[in-house]
Amino acid sequence: MKKEKIYDEIGLDAELIKISNEVFEELKEIFNEVDEIASFNQIKVLKAMQKAKLSDIHFAATTGYGYNDLGRDKIEEIYKTVFKAEDALVRPQIVSGTHALNLALSGNLRPNDELLSVVGLPYDTLLPVIGIKETRGSLIEYGVKYKQVDLKEDGSFDFIGIKNAINENTKMVLIQRSKGYSTRVSLSIEKIEKVISYIREIKKDIIILVDNCYGEFVEEREPIEVGADLIVGSLIKNPGGGLAPIGGYIVGKKEFVENAAYRLTAPGLGKELGATLGINQSILQGLFLAPSVVASALKGAILAANLFEKFGFTCVPSGKEKRADIVQAIILNKKEAVISFCEAIQEVAPVDSFISPIPSYMPGYDCDVIMAAGAFVSGSSIELSADAPMREPYVVFFQGGLTFYHAKYAILFTLKRMREKGII
Ligand SMILES: *Cc1c(COP(=O)(O)O)cnc(C)c1O
């Protein structure tokens, strides 16, 4: 077999080259499946842009109140079509995924309404939003009730538990598609479909909210297509395609999107206001690239899992498993291994490659966290990045990659570095 130039560049030893070649051979079929999904989603996004008659006039900047921002309205029309929804709110004024989730929750829940999470504890940053972690201004402080049904040991839904938890006050159900930074399994659209139809049979008018972060374009269908009322995500993850410099989205039923918009601006104002300051083109071009960028990130995650498994590490998801999001957890077992992994990822970044990441305090975490990210858009995790809370069992979460070639280089470089340190 022809030796790739990349091996010389990195200086891999003969055994690592042999293992890498074997793994690449094994992955051809899986990579083909990823490409097929990306082709499907590319056409879906393209058609939505054509249907909306997107034109360069929509790239113009607005300022001030942002009344009649044609480009902003076009972005929302396109998001609505892509995700098969009634309405969409896609704004640079939404500063993060957490902010978008806060708007969707607080815009649609009233005092004494009950919010039910059917996936156990939600993502870290939602704990203060809901008030699971006591915080000023939380939903619980405003009189919203919260209940939770944990996933079962094997990661499946506790259907009986869900049935028992739903009552006449249950207003909204929260489903988190991605495992986020835990080691549970992420939820496939098929699983989400099953639990939604089960919940609808118990109580028809519950608002079903799916935290869609890291899940967009990983499969051919999105949660609205299987019955969700609202989906929420961040533009500096999958749907921004690496180009959106800021933003979040809330897509779904018109009334619920409008309620969220009333929170973002003010009751009565809603979606009418919000200047876009010239970033519409980046949001749109990023969306256009997103299916292909997500495919690159997925291939990177798959390659990482398969290679690290060869060295005996447990990976979630495992190398050959079907994926529901772009996050790859690798259980490295040792603190030095985690630090070494993150240092290597930082060293091959296009930005800040000369900086060394160090574990340190992060708000919202109960231990130090190490983060490797050399991104064009600060904090973007659709770009190649790795994070790890410094606690047992020392798991590193690896995600993103604007190009597969960068992800591949990074993974091989990381292996080499860990080899030099005697970790593998
Ligand atoms: C990233 C993420 C969030 C929050 O997004 P931020 O943009 O970091 O605020 C919420 N839920 C899940 C599952 C995520 O992965």
Side-chain angles (χ1 to χ4, degrees), residues 368-401:
D368 283 357
V369 178
I370 185 166
M371 292 191 160
F376 292 98
V377 171
S378 179
S380 166
S381 47
I382 187 62
E383 297 188 48
L384 195 73
S385 45
D387 330 70
M390 300 307 289
R391 62 178 173 228
E392 305 226 336
Y394 290 102
V395 183
V396 74
F397 296 89
F398 169 85
Q399 67 272 313

Side-chain angles (χ1 to χ4, degrees), residues 179 182-185 314-318 321 327-331:
K179 63 185 161 301
S182 77
T183 45
R184 74 155 162 96
V185 294
T314 302
C315 295
V316 184
S318 68
E321 215 171 308
V327 182
Q328 180 62 54
I330 307 171
I331 302 171

Side-chain angles (χ1 to χ4, degrees), residues 95-99 101 123 125-126 176-181 211-214 234 236-237 327 381:
V95 300
S96 67
T98 306
H99 186 194
L101 284 157
Y123 191 74
T125 57
L126 286 187
Q176 184 182 306
R177 186 172 172 184
S178 167
K179 63 185 161 301
Y181 298 130
D211 175 351
N212 210 25
C213 284
Y214 286 136
S234 163
I236 64 167
K237 292 181 180 171
V327 182
S381 47

Side-chain angles (χ1 to χ4, degrees), residues 105 109-117 130-132 138-148 167 169-172:
L105 292 166
L109 291 163
R110 300 288 178 270
N112 296 317
D113 283 346
E114 213 165 270
L115 168 67
L116 172 67
S117 166
I130 296 167
I132 301 166
S138 72
L139 288 169
I140 288 177
E141 197 197 68
Y142 277 93
V144 172
K145 306 283 188 288
Y146 172 75
K147 255 196 200 162
Q148 163 183 324
N167 60 66
N169 293 327
T170 314
K171 174 80 176 290
M172 188 188 269

